[in-house]
Amino acid sequence: MTPTTRSISVLLSAALVVACAMAVRTSPESAVVPTPNTAPDAAAIAQARADSIRHPYTAADVQFMSSMIHHHAQAIVMARWAATHGASPSVRTLADRIINSQRDEIATMQNWLRDRRQPVPDATPGGMKMMMNGVEHEMLMPGMLTEAQMKELDAARGPEFDRLFLTYMIQHHRGAVSMVKQLFDTYGAGQDETVFKFASDVNVDQSTEIARMQKMLVALTLGLETQ
């Protein structure tokens, strides 16, 4: 092989190596370098991050807010009976507070769901509808009264209504508190600002009302009237 031939061979080998390297870089199996037209927009990334900070809700948050709407709706039905079923002044005062606070909270929950393009349940006292084996079933949330319990409460009057109302509303409130606990025990849930504040308020307010109703129930048993 002449010096000239050897030089040409070396150059061809070098060119082949470079070509192979370029082929590897542009191979479909390797990382693709985005062109300017496909590169993510910096402003879009910033907006997405801002939205994630502002609205980091989860499926568990949606389920909690949807379920609590029905839960609150039943409590309002129960509380409205106080005015027509001969409830004592103290029970009627408690019932009015429940109606006012939980009616406003239902509006908050419905707005939260609507703002996030989620289905918005009506404020009906029934449970959540679920399909099992092709048959629709109604699932009551924790603490909610059964149909038989609601009929029993509706049939009561005077002191008996007070007794059942306090007994069943304690049960109802405890169910709501357990729903809050389940939410906060779910990984990633309860981080949205509105959900966190609402759930925390439910936990505190209804725990406080449970303690008050327990005292009222004792007073009722002893024949005392509480204001």
Side-chain angles (χ1 to χ4, degrees), residues 16-34:
L16 182 60
V17 170
V18 171
C20 289
M22 291 179 65
V24 169
R25 285 195 191 123
T26 58
S27 172
E29 290 77 20
S30 62
V32 177
V33 178

Side-chain angles (χ1 to χ4, degrees), residues 2-81:
T2 65
T4 301
T5 304
R6 186 179 297 110
S7 298
I8 293 173
S9 177
V10 170
L11 290 173
L12 288 174
S13 297
L16 182 60
V17 170
V18 171
C20 289
M22 291 179 65
V24 169
R25 285 195 191 123
T26 58
S27 172
E29 290 77 20
S30 62
V32 177
V33 178
T35 63
N37 290 333
T38 60
D41 182 71
I45 292 176
Q47 184 62 50
R49 287 176 177 171
D51 289 343
S52 295
I53 293 172
R54 200 160 51 244
H55 307 295
Y57 67 93
T58 67
D61 295 323
V62 174
Q63 178 68 26
F64 172 78
M65 298 294 255
S66 300
S67 300
M68 195 62 81
I69 288 173
H70 294 296
H71 202 275
H72 273 24
Q74 188 182 69
I76 290 175
V77 170
M78 295 167 62
R80 283 176 175 163
W81 285 340

Side-chain angles (χ1 to χ4, degrees), residues 40-128:
D41 182 71
I45 292 176
Q47 184 62 50
R49 287 176 177 171
D51 289 343
S52 295
I53 293 172
R54 200 160 51 244
H55 307 295
Y57 67 93
T58 67
D61 295 323
V62 174
Q63 178 68 26
F64 172 78
M65 298 294 255
S66 300
S67 300
M68 195 62 81
I69 288 173
H70 294 296
H71 202 275
H72 273 24
Q74 188 182 69
I76 290 175
V77 170
M78 295 167 62
R80 283 176 175 163
W81 285 340
T84 58
H85 287 53
S88 64
S90 59
V91 169
R92 291 186 62 171
T93 298
L94 172 66
D96 287 343
R97 289 173 181 167
I98 290 173
I99 292 169
N100 292 333
S101 64
Q102 298 204 11
R103 185 173 52 199
D104 291 344
E105 289 174 349
I106 286 174
T108 296
M109 290 184 282
Q110 289 178 327
N111 288 335
W112 185 90
L113 290 166
R114 189 176 297 110
D115 291 345
R116 286 151 185 80
R117 304 294 190 268
Q118 298 294 327
V120 181
D122 292 328
T124 55
M128 298 288 288

